[in-house]
């Protein structure tokens, strides 16, 4: 079929209600042959940073797609809906920073358009459910072969809303970085690139007091011990073998964690 043929779908809607199903329905009504990959619908409510991180770390491993993402605490306000074009796919969603990291992971933004084409919506547009009435129909149109330029007027990529860059720093024998995400296993992912561990030894402390060891797999430390490693997204991460690092460290996304050589 013409177009991408695939849509990836990321939201904070959860799966207890019918929100996700309604969006799938909007897609199916417009482009029934398009296949949808549900990335996650369990982004913490209104956590744009978490949604941006999950999407950016997943999108490069999917087929060339229209990436539909809706974590939209500003729904119904003056915030724009946008379509971003990259060398490896399109992104559709609110202009609140949610899409930018993924766009960069897919090769960078080559063009951007504001989503204003009223012919692309389904019925009356709800003020509180643009996922169903605006973004999902647009993603379906694009996946089926519509051009991004038909979504609405071009906008300067520099005008798009960006999230603040996560905090990272490095020194002699230490790394400091912001907690970016915590996964369902309790592993703590930092904003630091995995290469920032290169200069560190194997015996470490976390936040000055918690003993840890650098390794490559969870089995490199004993049960209950703390592991510092490079995760599958090439980020510095902290885990506990058969435990939950987030509990041991008592951190939340946005906190700063310091990893240092034990001396």
């Amino acid at each position: 079929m013409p177009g991408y043929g695939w849509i990836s779908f990321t939201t904070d809607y959860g799966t207890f209600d019918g929100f996700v199903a309604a969006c799938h329905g909007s897609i199916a009504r417009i482009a029934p042959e398009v296949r949808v990959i549900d990335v996650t619908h369990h982004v913490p409510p209104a956590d744009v940073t978490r949604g941006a991180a999950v999407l950016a770390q997943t999108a490069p491993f999917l087929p060339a797609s229209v990436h539909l993402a809706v974590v939209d605490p500003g729904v119904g306000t003056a915030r724009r809906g946008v379509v971003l074009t990259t060398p490896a796919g399109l992104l559709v969603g609110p202009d609140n920073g949610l899409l930018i990291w993924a766009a960069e992971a897919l090769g960078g933004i080559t063009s951007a358009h504001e989503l204003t084409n009223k012919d692309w919506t389904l019925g009356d547009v709800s003020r509180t459910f643009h996922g169903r009435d605006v973004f999902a129909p647009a993603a379906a149109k694009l996946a089926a072969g519509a051009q991004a330029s038909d979504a609405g007027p071009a906008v300067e990529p520099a005008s798009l809303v960006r999230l603040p860059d996560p905090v990272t720093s490095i020194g002699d024998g230490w790394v400091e970085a912001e907690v970016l995400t915590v996964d369902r296993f309790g592993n703590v992912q930092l904003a630091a690139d995995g290469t920032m561990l290169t200069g560190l030894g194997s015996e470490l402390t976390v936040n000055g007091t918690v003993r840890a060891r650098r390794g490559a797999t969870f089995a490199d430390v004993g049960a209950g011990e703390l592991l510092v490693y490079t995760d599958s997204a090439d980020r510095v991460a902290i885990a506990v073998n058969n435990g939950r690092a987030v509990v041991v460290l008592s951190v939340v996304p946005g906190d700063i964690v310091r990893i240092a050589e034990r001396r």
Side-chain angles (χ1 to χ4, degrees), residues 3 33 37 78 82 116 122 128 133-134 174-175 183 198 205 224 233:
E33 296 182 9
I37 298 173
V82 291
T116 59
L122 281 178
T128 59
D133 298 336
V134 178
W174 58 268
V175 171
D183 68 19
T198 301
T205 62

Side-chain angles (χ1 to χ4, degrees), residues 218-260:
F218 304 118
D220 288 340
V221 298
E225 293 183 338
L226 214 64
L227 170 75
V228 175
Y229 66 107
T230 301
D231 71 8
S232 62
D234 198 30
R235 301 278 186 177
V236 176
I238 306 168
V240 171
N241 187 2
N242 291 324
R244 296 178 62 81
V246 67
V247 174
V248 173
L249 299 177
S250 297
V251 294
V252 296
D255 287 349
I256 304 299
V257 169
R258 183 182 179 94
I259 299 170

Side-chain angles (χ1 to χ4, degrees), residues 85-152:
T85 302
T86 78
L90 303 176
L91 298 109
V92 177
D95 179 22
N96 61 4
L98 177 64
L99 308 178
I100 301 297
W101 294 349
E104 292 171 346
L106 293 171
I109 300 169
T110 57
S111 65
H113 293 82
E114 185 173 3
L115 183 52
T116 59
N117 189 339
K118 296 187 184 304
D119 291 336
W120 282 19
T121 61
L122 281 178
D124 295 331
V125 174
S126 166
R127 292 177 181 172
T128 59
F129 200 0
H130 285 186
R132 178 194 65 195
D133 298 336
V134 178
F135 297 131
K141 293 274 190 182
L142 294 162
Q147 298 299 305
S149 57
D150 293 334

Side-chain angles (χ1 to χ4, degrees), residues 157-168:
S159 74
L160 296 168
V161 173
R162 295 188 63 96
L163 297 171
D165 290 331
V167 173
T168 62

Side-chain angles (χ1 to χ4, degrees), residues 177-202:
E178 182 177 333
V179 176
L180 192 59
T181 69
V182 177
D183 68 19
R184 72 183 301 267
F185 300 103
N187 301 325
V188 175
Q189 181 191 65
L190 305 184
D193 185 275
T195 58
M196 295 179 74
L197 291 177
T198 301
L200 298 186
S202 60

